[in-house]
């Protein structure tokens, strides 16, 4: 899934790019995008989506106590 497809599936724009890196050894581009919204209980939830060379690689719940590991 591309970044555009993820945005369409989530029906919202990303909140921000929280990390990005170009790996010179593997020539890979890694980008972590944060999506923030509200769940059914009106509590704010944030998720980090990890894109490797523009394709969704994995996702996880955002943790305010640390930064994404890339």
């Amino acid at each position: 899934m591309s970044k555009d497809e993820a945005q369409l599936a989530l029906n919202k724009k990303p909140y921000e790019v929280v990390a990005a890196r170009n790996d010179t050894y593997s020539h890979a581009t890694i980008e972590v995008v944060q999506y923030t919204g509200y769940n059914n209980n009106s509590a704010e939830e944030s998720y980090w989506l990890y894109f490797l060379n523009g394709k969704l690689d994995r996702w996880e719940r955002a943790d305010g106590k640390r930064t994404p590991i890339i």
Side-chain angles (χ1 to χ4, degrees):
M1 178 181 289
S2 71
K3 288 189 280 184
D4 290 337
E5 291 169 330
Q7 184 174 334
L8 279 172
L10 293 169
N11 198 30
K12 63 172 58 184
K13 291 185 177 184
Y15 180 71
E16 66 181 335
V17 174
V18 293
R21 183 177 109 188
N22 289 318
D23 188 320
T24 55
Y25 180 74
S26 67
H27 303 289
T29 300
I30 304 164
E31 187 175 25
V32 183
V33 179
Q34 180 172 318
Y35 281 86
T36 301
Y38 294 91
N39 65 18
N40 293 337
N41 298 324
S42 297
E44 187 176 83
E45 291 184 330
S46 295
Y47 292 91
W48 292 331
L49 279 66
Y50 292 74
F51 292 92
L52 178 62
N53 295 327
K55 298 291 182 186
L56 181 64
D57 182 57
R58 64 187 176 100
W59 64 272
E60 66 181 346
R61 186 178 286 230
D63 182 350
K65 298 175 186 170
R66 65 176 179 85
T67 58
I69 298 170
I70 57 172

